[in-house]
Amino acid sequence: MSILITNIKQLLQVYDTNVTIVKGKAMKELPALENAYLYIEHDTIIEYGEMKDCEGIEAETIIDATGKIVLPSWCDSHTHIVYAGDRTSEFVDRINGLTYAEIANKGGGILNSAKLLQKTTEEDLYEQSINRLEELIKMGTGAFEIKTGYGLTVEAELKMLRVIKRIKQESLAKIIPTLLAAHAIPETYRNKKQNYIEHIIKDLIPKAAALNITQFIDVFCEEGYFDINDTEAILKAGKQYNLRPKTHVNQFNVLGGVALSVKYNALSVDHLEELNKADIEALKGSSTIPVALPGCSYFLSIPYTPARQLIDAGLPLAIATDYNPGSAPSGNMNFVVSAACVKLKMTPEEAINAATINGAYAMGISNMYGSITRGKKANLIITKPLNHYSEIPYAFAHNPVEQVIINGQLKDIKNPEENFRI
């Protein structure tokens, strides 16, 4: 199949040579072509340029994008899409004054989701999860990292990995699985945390690695969950199976998780609502990218990641949804891009870079996703008519997406019968 998109008002994130990450001041730059075309064959970007150079190109499908913007699909590098049910009752509890920690202490939070997931059949879990994913593809996301972590038993965690593997095989989207080996301490181990950590190290990690589904391991490094020593023990165990870290750090407290993650060559450190100078220094010169999750800050009414400190220090930054049932029940990357501008004080250019090329880097896929470059995969957003790309974050409650091209296939997001599966 071949697709030619013509009369593009603005073609964004255009690079003649492949770029895999954008850092510091360069994040304010968003390469764009005005009045452009883009040519795709199968699942690959073949050519692009100004409309005056488009003569002679033929395609099976031609899209007139007059007045519209074309850019790479959003790359959401932090999600928990595979979960069962919801936690609406806890949402009401928070409105009535309970904190995240208080809800967790009374058996809610992650433990609540784990109980429900353990009872849910693998087939039901798959259907709930892929339906969520397909809704998000319609909102412009073409690549997702999906974590486990709501199992809290070996059997349930492996069930989650199998569901993620099936989604990876059947969805048109790019899927990156992560073993969130240590998300919370189950009730059966409430006063035996070290026993649970040994269980993770000796049972869960080897069995998960044997499935050969994921290349990444994650730990929730936080007070009341897993401290710095616990985290190191788990990351060290993961390293023996070539599982690279992508860690939850600094959501509520600074424990030293950033420097530890860098020590173990983490691909990303995520959350960072709390940050100090030592964390920034630890990130400098590393290959670890910080990831902000503004949707979580919005929902929990906690501080936002100090994006300006990170970017002004010359570092890269990605943004992601943290889509999960407890602290960020939305996977809408359009909102996250807007929140990055409004709450993290990022420019539209910085936010779009953080949600495309840097989001792809945070998943280890930016060599093939996240920019308009010849030879990269054709995962694209075609917007509704807009005057300028700044309208994407400006109109924060609106969906700017009119069509998506996912894995080289043009999809009508308004058609309820449209299938986003291979």
Side-chain angles (χ1 to χ4, degrees):
M1 182 179 178
S2 58
I3 299 174
L4 176 63
I5 310 174
T6 62
N7 301 310
I8 302 168
K9 184 178 181 69
Q10 293 176 311
L11 180 63
L12 305 184
Q13 203 63 289
V14 176
Y15 288 96
D16 287 337
T17 58
N18 201 4
V19 170
T20 57
I21 192 170
V22 183
K23 303 179 181 181
K25 292 180 180 179
M27 288 190 66
K28 281 191 169 70
E29 301 170 7
L30 186 63
L33 282 179
E34 307 280 339
N35 191 26
Y37 75 91
L38 178 67
Y39 177 65
I40 298 162
E41 285 185 1
H42 304 294
D43 63 350
T44 304
I45 297 169
I46 300 298
E47 192 55 88
Y48 60 82
E50 297 179 4
M51 275 304 297
K52 64 182 179 63
D53 300 320
C54 186
E55 286 187 23
I57 298 177
E58 298 180 355
E60 296 168 71
T61 300
I62 298 177
I63 304 166
D64 183 354
T66 298
K68 302 172 185 178
I69 294 166
V70 175
L71 68 156
S73 294
W74 306 128
C75 296
D76 190 350
S77 66
H78 187 128
T79 82
H80 305 256
I81 287 172
V82 174
Y83 64 85
D86 61 59
R87 301 215 308 255
T88 307
S89 63
E90 295 176 13
F91 170 63
V92 177
D93 285 341
R94 273 198 306 279
I95 293 171
N96 287 323
L98 290 184
T99 67
Y100 184 88
E102 288 169 338
I103 291 168
N105 287 337
K106 71 171 192 172
I110 296 165
L111 299 183
N112 195 355
S113 287
K115 289 175 187 176
L116 187 55
L117 186 139
Q118 290 163 16
K119 297 176 184 177
T120 303
T121 67
E122 194 165 318
E123 182 65 26
D124 189 7
L125 186 61
Y126 166 78
E127 286 298 333
Q128 290 185 46
S129 304
I130 194 127
N131 287 338
R132 292 185 196 109
L133 188 95
E134 291 186 333
E135 281 299 308
L136 302 181
I137 293 172
K138 292 179 181 180
M139 296 181 190
T141 305
F144 302 81
E145 185 248 22
I146 306 178
K147 301 178 187 291
T148 68
Y150 286 118
L152 301 190
T153 67
V154 171
E155 295 76 16
E157 285 292 299
L158 297 183
K159 176 168 69 175
M160 292 187 76
L161 279 175
R162 290 192 298 270
V163 167
I164 297 170
K165 180 181 181 180
R166 185 175 170 191
I167 292 172
K168 181 180 175 72
Q169 291 171 334
E170 298 186 10
S171 174
L172 288 171
K174 179 68 175 177
I175 306 296
I176 302 297
T178 293
L179 174 67
L180 178 44
H183 198 192
I185 300 163
E187 288 182 354
T188 52
Y189 287 90
R190 181 179 290 273
N191 299 313
K192 299 179 290 184
K193 185 175 73 167
Q194 289 308 313
N195 290 353
Y196 183 55
I197 292 168
E198 285 298 309
H199 182 50
I200 290 170
I201 291 170
K202 293 181 178 179
D203 298 322
L204 174 58
I205 292 174
K207 289 181 180 180
L211 293 179
N212 198 30
I213 293 171
T214 180
Q215 298 176 332
F216 298 105
I217 190 167
D218 196 350
V219 178
F220 185 23
C221 181
E222 185 53 68
E223 284 186 9
Y225 294 86
F226 300 91
D227 64 27
I228 200 76
N229 294 323
D230 304 332
T231 301
E232 181 160 27
I234 294 164
L235 296 187
K236 187 181 294 183
K239 186 177 180 180
Q240 294 177 358
Y241 293 90
N242 297 314
L243 297 176
R244 189 177 182 185
K246 282 174 57 67
T247 53
H248 286 64
V249 293
N250 292 38
Q251 183 174 4
F252 302 107
N253 299 278
V254 176
L255 304 182
V258 172
L260 178 67
S261 299
V262 170
K263 174 183 174 182
Y264 282 87
N265 190 33
L267 179 58
S268 71
V269 284
D270 301 26
H271 275 293
L272 307 180
E273 288 88 349
E274 302 294 334
L275 200 66
N276 63 23
K277 290 182 180 179
D279 294 326
I280 291 176
E281 289 303 314
L283 288 166
K284 288 181 178 179
S286 77
S287 61
T288 303
I289 188 169
V291 180
L293 308 171
C296 178
S297 297
Y298 169 82
F299 194 71
L300 294 183
S301 297
I302 62 175
Y304 288 84
T305 304
R308 288 263 54 93
Q309 290 183 36
L310 293 161
I311 296 171
D312 293 346
L315 293 169
L317 182 65
I319 53 175
T321 64
D322 192 20
Y323 186 21
N324 74 80
S327 61
S330 171
N332 186 345
M333 281 291 287
N334 300 297
F335 169 73
V336 167
V337 170
S338 180
C341 295
V342 176
K343 295 297 186 180
L344 275 60
K345 307 304 179 185
M346 296 169 67
T347 67
E349 294 79 10
E350 290 171 332
I352 292 171
N353 275 318
T356 55
I357 191 66
N358 283 0
Y361 179 90
M363 288 187 270
I365 59 171
S366 58
N367 61 322
M368 292 300 291
Y369 294 86
S371 70
I372 305 295
T373 304
R374 296 174 187 90
K376 278 196 169 183
K377 296 297 183 182
N379 274 18
L380 306 168
I381 293 168
I382 304 173
T383 71
K384 300 169 183 175
L386 300 175
N387 291 318
H388 191 269
Y389 59 77
S390 296
E391 290 184 44
I392 296 172
Y394 164 72
F396 70 91
H398 295 265
N399 182 6
V401 180
E402 183 166 276
Q403 293 173 298
V404 297
I405 295 175
I406 184 83
N407 200 31
Q409 297 186 32
L410 176 65
K411 295 295 179 179
D412 179 3
I413 65 172
K414 294 181 180 179
N415 181 3
E417 303 299 320
E418 190 69 270
N419 195 330
F420 294 87
R421 306 183 197 187
I422 293 173

